[in-house]
Amino acid sequence: MSIRADRAAAILPGGVNSPVRAWNGVGGEPVPIASARGSRVTDADGREYVDLVGSWGPAILGHTHPTVVQAVQEAAARGLSFGATTEREVELAEEIRGRYAPAERVRLVSTGTEATMTAIRLARGATGRDVIVKFAGCYHGHSDSLLVAAGSGLATAGVPDSAGVTKGAAVDTLVLPYGDEDALTAAFAEHGQSIAAVITEAAPANMGTVQPPAGFNRLIATLCRNEGAVFIVDEVLTGFRAGPAGYWGIERDADLTAGVEPWQPDLVTFGKVIGGGMPVAALGGRADLMEQLAPLGPVYQAGTLSGNPVAVAAGLATMRLLTDDVYTHLSALGDRLIAGVSGAFADAGVTHSVGRAGTLFSFFLGLADAPVTFEQAAAQDTAAFARFFHAMHDAGIYLPPSAFETWFLSHEHTEADVDAIVAAASAWAV
Ligand code: PLP
């Protein structure tokens, strides 16, 4: 007999250790997950599902990849934690820089929240300015100054901001509508000399998936450069997931094809995929900025378990398995899934749109046009999504339990998995 929701709720607030794991956005109570392999998760009652949560991004190779598990077992046998630099930390940092050139220097941390929090502190420390610009609907983890209009779990819970964030912590965070070039230009005209940094998801994926409007990231980069602000690109979710060099790499390749000089982030944050399912995240960026971090510079940041050897082993093994074939497979399966589900919805007259950024995608029920701003994304039919979620779950498909989340395929998903997803969506739509 598994631990049921009421026993979990009697000890864990809400029965969970991270809010989006609760089914508040769709109703009902999740059965604990017992194990996962390949494209499947199995719950504590022994029911198997085709998994589209993928641990919220890390499981790009599918669950329990044998090479990754072996790397973890070997690392664990050598020692769980030393509190000193290991060779593999260096190798993982080099692997990141080899794929993502703007990460000239890399600091490993344990969570995406730490990476973005450190990026903000570094930008403020380097510029001597206070104001941070962020976009409504972009989630950058749960540090105080970034927990304003933050999408993801807050959007699911229907709350704009967290309680417990002081006015002082939020007062220097300027929130703008995503994709709004006029608002961004006006903010720089008014506050230019006070802006320490602009932070954005490389492509928003915490209000559903949103494709950045053409030229939007470039405009941010240009304004930041002209005004001496730091451009922080958050690739915690998109990094090595949307494409081989994150979403930045997709825009870089398009620019190079068009003969245009690609824009560059000053700082970039990673997480999820670079830990392969273990707690590894990173801050990377321009050498002159990164060298302002302690012990070289005056901006303090530290972590007892940063670069943990077992976690790094999982991340390194995962990164080394991320060949172009992985992304080709993800892209082809995404095309098949989107065509199938979208076709089924269209045949049944279900109004919907698809948001897509590289290999990432999500569906918006009730919206004929894919949204760009959070306001537009929030107008989707969340009640219809809740019905859809439960029908899919009953049919053995594990979707993210929120209309504001991206769907995650893995290299282990097959065309047969996708066809099962499409069949379940068709059965719901009729
Ligand atoms: N940034 C983005 C874009 C994210 O999607 C997330 C988590 O979903 C974070 C930061 C925070 O990462 P973590 O949950 O590891 O703290």
Side-chain angles (χ1 to χ4, degrees):
M1 168 82 170
S2 68
I3 290 181
R4 310 308 305 192
D6 54 352
R7 184 166 159 201
I11 180 72
L12 310 175
V16 294
N17 282 312
S18 192
V20 289
R21 295 178 195 169
W23 285 4
N24 289 359
V26 292
E29 281 166 354
V31 176
I33 298 297
S35 64
R37 182 169 294 277
S39 63
R40 309 299 170 105
V41 290
T42 303
D43 73 19
D45 291 340
R47 260 200 94 195
E48 189 177 89
Y49 302 83
V50 177
D51 181 31
L52 287 165
V53 178
S55 181
W56 303 92
I60 187 168
L61 295 172
H63 296 282
T64 336
H65 190 289
T67 308
V68 178
V69 171
Q70 191 185 346
V72 166
Q73 286 170 337
E74 287 172 6
R78 283 190 297 269
L80 297 180
S81 177
F82 312 120
T85 302
T86 61
E87 290 177 338
R88 281 193 181 71
E89 283 167 76
V90 179
E91 290 177 54
L92 178 57
E94 287 172 349
E95 188 73 37
I96 291 169
R97 182 173 59 187
R99 290 164 184 259
Y100 205 110
E104 294 172 356
R105 299 287 183 276
V106 175
R107 163 96 12 126
L108 298 183
V109 293
S110 301
T111 66
T113 296
E114 275 181 88
T116 55
M117 183 180 74
T118 306
I120 296 296
R121 187 181 305 140
L122 181 52
R124 285 179 166 151
T127 58
R129 302 173 180 180
D130 293 340
V131 175
I132 301 297
V133 176
K134 82 173 284 291
F135 298 102
C138 283
Y139 179 63
H140 303 292
H142 62 94
S143 67
D144 282 1
S145 64
L146 293 172
L147 211 47
V148 186
S152 193
L154 290 96
T156 308
V159 293
D161 309 311
S162 170
V165 174
T166 63
K167 286 195 191 70
V171 74
D172 287 320
T173 307
L174 201 60
V175 182
L176 301 180
Y178 185 75
D180 188 333
E181 297 197 349
D182 292 341
L184 182 64
T185 309
F188 268 97
E190 194 178 340
H191 305 281
Q193 289 305 304
S194 314
I195 296 175
V198 179
I199 184 167
T200 185
E201 290 184 58
N206 283 289
M207 49 172 158
T209 311
V210 170
Q211 174 157 31
F216 189 60
N217 284 324
R218 175 179 294 282
L219 176 68
I220 306 174
T222 305
L223 290 170
C224 283
R225 196 181 50 235
N226 292 348
E227 298 288 342
V230 176
F231 183 16
I232 305 169
V233 174
D234 184 349
E235 295 249 28
V236 167
L237 197 153
T238 48
F240 312 112
R241 176 46 106 159
Y247 194 76
W248 169 76
I250 292 174
E251 294 204 345
R252 175 201 59 189
D253 293 349
D255 283 344
L256 291 175
T257 305
V260 175
E261 178 75 16
W263 58 269
Q264 302 272 330
D266 298 308
L267 294 176
V268 56
T269 53
F270 301 107
K272 300 191 188 263
V273 164
I274 68 161
M278 297 283 276
V280 183
L283 170 65
R286 265 176 29 213
D288 63 304
L289 281 174
M290 291 295 291
E291 288 176 357
Q292 301 208 30
L293 285 176
L296 290 179
V299 180
Y300 197 70
Q301 184 280 333
T304 302
L305 293 178
S306 292
N308 172 268
V310 182
V312 163
L316 191 56
T318 299
M319 293 288 281
R320 287 183 170 159
L321 288 166
L322 291 177
T323 59
D324 285 349
D325 287 352
V326 172
Y327 299 98
T328 307
H329 180 75
L330 287 179
S331 197
L333 278 194
D335 288 347
R336 188 180 181 100
L337 192 157
I338 290 167
V341 172
S342 205
F345 285 171
D347 288 349
V350 175
T351 303
H352 71 285
S353 58
V354 182
R356 189 155 192 194
T359 67
L360 295 169
F361 61 88
S362 71
F363 292 85
F364 296 92
L365 295 176
L367 298 183
D369 297 313
V372 175
T373 65
F374 179 64
E375 204 180 2
Q376 291 163 351
Q380 68 183 302
D381 187 344
T382 51
F385 179 83
R387 293 192 296 276
F388 177 58
F389 169 87
H390 283 290
M392 296 294 276
H393 195 258
D394 290 347
I397 312 294
Y398 209 109
L399 291 179
S402 163
F404 295 93
E405 303 290 350
T406 289
W407 297 19
F408 294 100
L409 287 167
S410 79
H411 188 244
E412 288 298 300
H413 283 79
T414 60
E415 290 189 349
D417 287 332
V418 166
D419 294 347
I421 294 163
V422 172
S426 306
W428 175 76
V430 289

